[in-house]
Amino acid sequence: MPTKDPEQFDGVLLAMAQQHEGVSELLDTIFSFLARKTDFYTGAGESAAENMVMSKFKKHQSQAVEALAKKKRESEEADRKRKEKIAKAKEEEQNLGKQKQESKIVELTDEQAAQLQKELDAEKQKQEQGDPQPDPAETNKSGDSKPEDDEEEDEKEKGKIKPNSGNGCDLPNYRWIQTLSEIELRVPLQVNFTVRSKDVVVNIQKHHLTVGLKGKPPIIDGQLEHEVKVEESTWVLEDGKALLITIEKINKMEWWSKLVTTDPEISTKKINPEPSKLSDLDGETRGLVEKMMYDQRQRELGMPTSDDQKKQGLIQKFMAQHPEMDFSKCKFG
């Protein structure tokens, strides 16, 4: 018999948990069901049910403890690697500082300078070979837009709302914020009593969202702007006073301009996303960003950038290839 997927009933159990106030209340419902609808307590002897419960409890307790210990080990390992990386970067900075202090500064004659410049130009030309030259027409489109293009863009932005601090929108009855992967919606329940899970209506569908209190007109009832992943979307009650709903986007490469189609539209051009982690970037982009960060740090420390270091390498190579030249009175910086 094939082993059951431990996550097979997560959706059902999560739906049950959302209808209860804490684990104690959820367990009370489960054991009440076993007592009323099964012979769990009486079918296999006086203490069989208790022994079964304790057996399952200890089994999953050990799994939970082991998972927590594994997570702690992984966290400690990640912290160790981070510290090693910081120490290595500091050591590299110190080495570069020593190189700068020990570097010779030379002054070339006009003839020697011309020959060196020729070498540098040849190396630069070799690197640039094969790079297509930008099309002036395309440059005009992307970089120096015509005034009428700007006017057209401004026309499209008219009437749109500036996003709130969470790149979403603050509306009279609710507030939503977003990342590229999910929407977080907070709906205050403006009542004078503490609301329980059974008092609310939250219906998250692929294209539609309904939120409100039972017996009252819905606070939100409309078509979502884009598709959502229903099984990954959840909701909880905050102190019996508000609903916090997390909606998982299907397309994680776009910003929403509204929650439901009847909402006012925000300007997605004015969204300020959080900086991406370097680990989230592809190899080429990550390399470029790391080079920019390194060069910026070198400038702040008054040290040579990666391009400066490369040029110094070319100069050293030039000197090695031309031992007949007298560099005793020269100084390279």
Side-chain angles (χ1 to χ4, degrees):
M1 183 175 179
T3 304
K4 288 185 178 180
D5 180 1
E7 300 181 1
Q8 180 179 357
F9 301 106
D10 282 3
V12 176
L13 293 172
L14 181 60
M16 287 179 59
Q18 290 173 339
Q19 303 299 317
H20 294 78
E21 297 290 340
V23 175
S24 177
E25 189 175 304
L26 175 62
L27 291 175
D28 189 54
T29 297
I30 293 173
F31 284 116
S32 171
F33 168 79
L34 293 174
R36 291 180 293 100
K37 300 296 182 179
T38 73
D39 63 349
F40 176 73
Y41 292 99
T42 59
E46 184 176 345
S47 58
E50 182 179 354
N51 291 338
M52 184 185 298
V53 169
M54 291 307 300
S55 172
K56 298 299 181 183
F57 171 84
K58 289 179 180 179
K59 171 187 174 182
H60 294 287
Q61 181 188 39
S62 64
Q63 292 175 352
V65 170
E66 184 180 347
L68 180 62
K70 181 180 178 182
K71 186 175 181 181
K72 184 179 179 181
R73 288 195 301 269
E74 291 174 347
S75 177
E76 290 174 348
E77 178 65 15
D79 188 56
R80 183 186 65 79
K81 289 182 178 179
R82 181 183 62 83
K83 289 179 178 178
E84 285 181 355
K85 189 174 181 180
I86 293 173
K88 185 177 179 181
K90 187 174 180 180
E91 183 180 354
E92 289 176 353
E93 287 180 8
Q94 291 174 346
N95 290 337
L96 287 171
K98 290 178 182 178
Q99 290 177 10
K100 183 184 176 183
Q101 292 175 358
E102 294 171 358
S103 64
K104 296 179 180 180
I105 301 178
V106 294
E107 183 178 345
L108 299 177
T109 65
D110 291 342
E111 181 182 351
Q112 293 169 340
Q115 188 169 352
L116 175 56
Q117 187 61 50
K118 186 177 179 181
E119 294 271 352
L120 295 173
D121 291 342
E123 182 67 22
K124 183 178 179 182
Q125 185 177 4
K126 185 187 298 182
Q127 292 176 2
E128 294 177 350
Q129 277 181 353
D131 293 340
Q133 294 298 319
D135 186 345
E138 292 298 323
T139 303
N140 189 52
K141 288 179 183 178
S142 59
D144 301 322
S145 300
K146 296 179 181 179
E148 52 267 29
D149 292 339
D150 291 338
E151 292 175 5
E152 184 178 346
E153 289 298 323
D154 292 340
E155 192 68 29
K156 290 180 182 178
E157 292 298 304
K158 280 185 178 179
K160 293 183 181 180
I161 301 174
K162 182 180 179 182
N164 61 21
S165 58
N167 297 321
C169 189
D170 297 331
L171 297 170
N173 296 323
Y174 54 91
R175 178 180 192 268
W176 63 275
I177 60 176
Q178 67 175 319
T179 63
L180 278 172
S181 59
E182 65 181 21
I183 301 282
E184 186 176 285
L185 168 65
R186 190 175 190 279
V187 184
L189 302 172
Q190 300 175 357
V191 292
N192 56 5
F193 60 91
T194 300
V195 177
R196 294 168 63 87
S197 299
K198 63 183 180 180
D199 300 324
V200 303
V201 176
V202 180
N203 186 7
I204 306 171
Q205 300 179 16
K206 193 172 185 179
H207 299 280
H208 197 275
L209 176 65
T210 304
V211 180
L213 291 168
K214 289 182 180 177
K216 294 190 177 184
I219 301 171
I220 303 174
D221 186 13
Q223 181 178 347
L224 293 163
E225 186 182 26
H226 299 291
E227 293 182 0
V228 301
K229 193 178 292 186
V230 178
E231 62 274 15
E232 298 295 332
S233 300
T234 60
W235 63 270
V236 293
L237 264 173
E238 284 187 335
D239 302 323
K241 297 297 183 182
L243 279 166
L244 184 63
I245 304 170
T246 303
I247 300 173
E248 190 78 12
K249 298 179 181 179
I250 286 183
N251 186 346
K252 301 183 184 300
M253 296 298 293
E254 67 181 347
W255 297 104
W256 288 26
S257 62
K258 57 181 72 173
L259 179 65
V260 293
T261 53
T262 53
D263 281 350
E265 188 174 9
I266 66 169
S267 173
T268 55
K269 288 191 174 183
K270 297 179 181 178
I271 280 177
N272 294 312
E274 294 182 0
S276 299
K277 296 179 182 177
L278 282 177
S279 57
D280 296 335
L281 303 175
D282 62 76
E284 184 178 352
T285 306
R286 177 175 178 173
L288 179 60
V289 172
E290 287 180 335
K291 178 179 180 298
M292 293 170 63
M293 293 171 65
Y294 174 80
D295 288 346
Q296 178 65 26
R297 184 178 59 187
Q298 291 298 97
R299 291 190 188 96
E300 291 172 355
L301 296 172
M303 296 181 178
T305 65
S306 56
D307 291 333
D308 294 335
Q309 292 168 17
K310 187 173 183 180
K311 187 178 290 185
Q312 289 177 3
L314 288 173
I315 293 172
Q316 296 297 329
K317 182 179 178 182
F318 175 84
M319 292 174 64
Q321 291 175 346
H322 298 279
E324 74 281 0
M325 291 185 179
D326 181 12
F327 293 95
S328 59
K329 298 180 180 179
C330 298
K331 194 176 184 183
F332 286 116

